[in-house]
Amino acid sequence: MKLDELFIEKVMKKVNNYLLRYEPEKALRLLDRELKKHPQAWPLAMKKAIILFEEGEMAEAEQLLLTTREQYPELPVVYFWLARLALEQMQLEKALQYCQTLLELEPFDAVNYVLRAEVYELLERNQEAEGDYTKALELEEKTDLYYRRSYVRFLQKDFEGALADLEEARQAALTDEEKSRVEFGTGVVLAGMGHYDAAERAFNLALELYPDYFAAHEQRAFCRLELEDWEGALEDSEWLLARRPDEDRFWWLKGLALYRLGRVEDALLAAENYLQQHPEDPAAYFNLGLMYEELGELKQATEFYSLALELDPGYAEAYLRRAWSNYQQLELEKARTDLLWWVYTAFSDSDLTTMRARLAEAPGFDEEFLNSVSEQLEMGLPQDKSFLC
């Protein structure tokens, strides 16, 4: 039966008016009434399914979509929304199957390739995601598509390809928001290449265009850490915490910046806040050990290094710092054992000669003490691991 397009348009107008007034319940009631009278009106069924999806009523939306599919098995829009729903529920293989059918039915719509690319990204099949973004770009050149493809190229470490895409996006960008996003993406790629100076400049450009760009502040902060710009990293961390005080990684960031600036007591407060949120993170205990060591609280520093090693017995730097802490407390046997574990952990793939050379470079220890440790290298690691406790 041919659909009455004028009738459909009239109902849709009323439904959209309800939605504009944030009254989805009234929109759904209207659709229910009209579908009882006109069950063949599949556009109304699809509109109801979309509203249910957006309202989080996933089970009901899926049932309606499946019913519509049974009645209209070659209707592409049904598969599009079934794929979206499966994607939302992280049912990725199911979403992929729906996308395959969708593209068989409607192979010339860029949006369909973008949807499948999103599924491929979540499946970490980045090469296939790149292929779908390329197909979408052949059908419709858009700034967003270049940006998306640049990201999957970045994940594959195709940095030059990612930068080329971002340059295309830069040429096509019209709004300040689009331009800011392109500069942000450029910064991410440059940071991935280790070009932190250039990355920071890109993040600065992004923030000039869009000062409240949260992710740009976050990425710039980590760039500034790499550049040892502790004041800048602190500035960014405080901006981030003012907006998201419950984000523990920003407390870690602030604590590290404060520590590097020599404000150790302030750093301790930030690091302890981070530790409360991440009691299983060995780095949290290690960082507190560094701070207590800086304050001259060697016993507490040693305890925190030990806690880090309990969680991660392969934490080479923790062995070295605990060795130094024990050495300063004249716990020489413990310091000697820690240094042995440090050498064997940090340079496990090296020969004995290389291990001795690395040991001789251990900072702070006197030559006689290092020689005594070197003599023990040939004997291997101590069997007694009680010192870890």
Side-chain angles (χ1 to χ4, degrees):
M1 182 183 295
K2 187 176 180 181
L3 290 173
D4 184 338
E5 294 182 5
L6 189 60
F7 159 72
I8 296 293
E9 183 180 348
K10 184 178 177 181
V11 175
M12 287 294 198
K13 185 175 181 180
K14 290 180 180 179
V15 168
N16 289 329
N17 284 335
Y18 282 131
L19 294 176
L20 285 171
R21 297 201 299 266
Y22 303 99
E23 296 177 325
E25 299 86 359
K26 290 183 179 180
L28 289 169
R29 285 198 295 271
L30 173 60
L31 288 166
D32 281 337
R33 287 197 303 271
E34 297 300 339
L35 282 166
K36 284 179 183 176
K37 293 184 283 186
H38 307 278
Q40 79 284 1
W42 66 261
L44 301 185
M46 287 305 307
K47 187 66 174 180
K48 179 182 175 182
I50 293 167
I51 295 172
L52 289 168
F53 172 86
E54 291 173 345
E55 292 298 307
E57 300 293 340
M58 300 301 181
E60 195 175 347
E62 183 176 21
Q63 186 55 54
L64 181 54
L65 288 167
L66 291 172
T67 300
T68 308
R69 182 183 66 170
E70 288 176 10
Q71 297 172 331
Y72 304 96
E74 295 188 1
L75 194 61
V77 68
V78 175
Y79 295 95
F80 178 87
W81 283 99
L82 281 168
R84 283 281 308 274
L85 191 144
L87 180 60
E88 183 73 17
Q89 298 176 313
M90 293 302 290
Q91 297 172 344
L92 301 181
E93 292 299 338
K94 183 189 286 190
L96 190 57
Q97 290 171 10
Y98 287 134
C99 284
Q100 310 289 34
T101 306
L102 170 64
L103 283 162
E104 289 169 11
L105 294 170
E106 196 172 53
F108 301 111
D109 191 333
V111 172
N112 298 339
Y113 288 101
V114 171
L115 180 59
R116 189 172 66 175
E118 290 175 356
V119 179
Y120 278 139
E121 281 190 68
L122 289 168
L123 288 166
E124 297 183 1
R125 293 165 61 174
N126 293 316
Q127 190 170 1
E128 288 156 297
E130 180 185 350
D132 272 350
Y133 285 130
T134 299
K135 289 174 185 174
L137 278 163
E138 289 169 0
L139 293 166
E140 182 180 13
E141 283 199 46
K142 290 175 64 178
T143 302
D144 180 63
L145 295 180
Y146 281 114
Y147 187 88
R148 285 169 177 256
R149 190 174 67 177
S150 77
Y151 181 66
V152 294
R153 285 179 164 176
F154 167 73
L155 292 176
Q156 296 174 85
K157 300 192 184 303
D158 177 9
F159 299 128
E160 295 303 325
L163 289 173
D165 273 342
L166 287 163
E167 183 56 37
E168 292 284 353
R170 184 177 286 107
Q171 298 302 321
L174 298 175
T175 67
D176 282 352
E177 185 176 352
E178 287 179 330
K179 293 174 184 176
S180 178
R181 192 180 181 207
V182 169
E183 298 305 335
F184 171 77
T186 302
V188 170
V189 175
L190 290 169
M193 298 170 72
H195 302 328
Y196 297 110
D197 277 322
E200 185 187 16
R201 288 195 293 273
F203 293 133
N204 287 339
L205 285 173
L207 288 165
E208 285 176 18
L209 292 161
Y210 182 24
D212 289 332
Y213 199 155
F214 195 90
H217 279 283
E218 182 176 3
Q219 291 301 317
R220 186 177 68 175
F222 287 105
C223 249
R224 286 172 164 179
L225 286 183
E226 294 291 344
L227 294 167
E228 299 186 3
D229 176 7
W230 314 123
E231 288 284 2
L234 179 60
E235 175 191 341
D236 277 328
S237 69
E238 289 179 336
W239 188 94
L240 294 162
L241 282 166
R243 287 150 183 82
R244 294 190 191 171
D246 295 330
E247 290 279 355
D248 44 87
R249 67 185 183 278
F250 302 146
W251 286 104
W252 173 85
L253 175 64
K254 180 178 180 179
L256 183 57
L258 286 167
Y259 173 72
R260 295 299 185 186
L261 286 167
R263 295 168 56 183
V264 181
E265 292 184 359
D266 291 335
L268 273 173
L269 293 174
E272 285 168 354
N273 191 303
Y274 175 78
L275 180 60
Q276 288 175 8
Q277 305 296 323
H278 285 270
E280 300 300 318
D281 182 0
Y285 296 94
F286 177 78
N287 288 333
L288 277 165
L290 288 176
M291 293 173 196
Y292 277 112
E293 186 180 320
E294 189 74 21
L295 289 170
E297 301 286 347
L298 298 178
K299 185 176 179 180
Q300 284 179 287
T302 304
E303 289 173 359
F304 277 109
Y305 295 141
S306 297
L307 288 168
L309 287 164
E310 284 180 18
L311 290 168
D312 180 7
Y315 201 152
E317 191 67 14
Y319 287 119
L320 178 60
R321 295 316 311 168
R322 190 172 69 173
W324 176 242
S325 185
N326 278 323
Y327 180 78
Q328 290 181 290
Q329 295 174 82
L330 302 180
E331 296 280 1
L332 300 185
E333 192 56 41
K334 291 180 179 179
R336 192 175 287 111
T337 302
D338 274 338
L339 274 179
L340 284 170
W341 277 90
W342 167 64
V343 171
Y344 276 105
T345 304
F347 311 107
S348 57
D349 295 332
S350 303
D351 58 27
L352 193 60
T353 302
T354 303
M355 285 185 177
R356 281 181 170 151
R358 295 291 177 266
L359 179 62
E361 296 169 359
F365 302 94
D366 68 59
E367 185 177 353
E368 182 180 351
F369 178 77
L370 289 176
N371 287 337
S372 72
V373 179
S374 182
E375 290 171 5
Q376 293 187 23
L377 275 176
E378 289 187 32
M379 299 167 60
L381 288 169
Q383 298 302 307
D384 179 14
K385 296 185 180 181
S386 61
F387 75 97
L388 284 171
C389 303

